[in-house]
Amino acid sequence: DKIIKVAVAGNPNTGKTTLINAIAGTNLHVGNWPGVTLEKKEARFKYRDYEIHLIDLPGTYSLSNDTAEEKIAVEFLIKEKPDVVIDVVDSTNLERNLYLTVQLLELEAPLVVALNMWDEAKSKGIDIDVEKLEKLLCIRAVPTSAVKEEGIKELLDAVIEIYERKEKPKCVLHFEDQVEEHIKGLIDKIKEVQPILLDLYPARYLALSLIEGNTSFIDLSLSEDIQKYVQNVRKEIEKLYHKDPVTFIVEERYSIIISIYEQVVKKHVVKSVDIT
Ligand code: GDP
Ligand code: K
Ligand code: MG
């Protein structure tokens, strides 16, 4: 059988554990992430002609390496390179959950979104255009309800589809043109003076992290050329937008998210039934 290594990512309380239980049932093995008291759940099971290895990542709101949970998730994604990443989102709170999704795309994770809590979204009158979301993000998205064990087979079929896919989707969620030029310039600089960094880390995640000053995941010392280049990009961003670079990048991600959210989510008024 072919082995598919699957990481399960998502914000806290989106239903990751419930989903893994629904998928893996009794195959679940619970341990700890090395060095910390965070629970690590793993499961191995057969599905179709495949052996699927599931690993539950700690719940995180972002991948900025600010917390132990984020460091573990980022290190796992970069070093272990799972074949597929399931991003479990809370469908009733898509706007907030998409921040992590956008960062997972920056990390070039082979992604499928599980639109979990689909039952709750339905009863709240939240209508998500799944096909449009897939098109805008350039990835698969599957409605699931972990508590009701719905959408599980469709999700696993999507996992296999991503694993078997020969080409990576070539979608990039673009920031403002001027910033994109700085990002491209920085990546070119890295290619020129310290190309090994691009063998170790996904280019866009690396460039954005350098600009954000999020460098604790980088194991090598950075060449002085790159450091100078980064300082210059940061100054340019401040000059252009009158914002510090971290705020600026976070806001760019949110403006992408808001645009996607407005295109895919419709809210209906749900009539409450009067039982008195
Ligand atoms: P985790 O922190 O991501 O592991 O989330 P949990 O699996 O612990 O779930 C958080 C809460 O959401 C629990 O009370 C679950 O029963 C509930 N939950 C999980 N999945 C669903 C779902 O699809 N629909 C509904 N309505 N509730 C869910
Ligand atoms: K929880
Ligand atoms: Mg959990």
Side-chain angles (χ1 to χ4, degrees), residues 12-17:
N13 290 314
T14 56
K16 289 181 300 303
T17 300

Side-chain angles (χ1 to χ4, degrees), residues 16-156:
K16 289 181 300 303
T17 300
T18 314
L19 189 66
I20 289 173
N21 285 332
I23 294 174
T26 54
N27 296 305
L28 209 62
H29 172 83
V30 182
N32 270 313
W33 290 95
V36 286
T37 53
L38 283 170
E39 220 173 52
K40 181 185 190 183
K41 290 177 216 76
E42 286 179 88
R44 290 173 184 218
F45 59 94
K46 298 214 189 261
Y47 182 74
R48 287 167 43 182
D49 292 331
Y50 302 86
E51 185 177 320
I52 297 184
H53 293 191
L54 275 184
I55 301 106
D56 186 17
L57 297 179
T60 59
Y61 294 104
S62 79
L63 297 174
S64 308
N65 291 296
D66 291 332
T67 64
E69 286 85 349
E70 289 175 8
K71 282 187 208 300
I72 288 170
V74 169
E75 186 170 303
F76 188 88
L77 293 168
I78 287 176
K79 298 212 169 132
E80 300 291 326
K81 293 189 178 45
D83 298 306
V84 180
V85 177
I86 299 176
D87 174 21
V88 183
V89 306
D90 174 354
S91 301
T92 69
N93 213 335
L94 197 59
E95 209 168 351
R96 185 174 74 180
N97 280 247
L98 282 178
Y99 193 84
L100 180 68
T101 311
V102 166
Q103 281 200 310
L104 285 166
L105 289 171
E106 289 166 3
L107 248 179
E108 295 170 21
L111 214 55
V112 52
V113 170
L115 290 161
N116 199 39
M117 312 247 182
W118 190 257
D119 53 316
E120 215 174 298
K122 278 268 160 297
S123 67
K124 285 184 173 166
I126 299 167
D127 187 13
I128 300 170
D129 185 338
V130 180
E131 259 179 58
K132 195 160 206 177
L133 182 67
E134 288 185 316
K135 228 172 121 197
L136 292 171
L137 291 173
C138 215
I139 54 178
R140 289 293 321 276
V142 180
T144 60
S145 172
V147 279
K148 297 188 171 179
E149 302 198 8
E150 285 169 3
I152 307 292
K153 188 183 162 299
E154 290 79 2
L155 181 62
L156 290 175

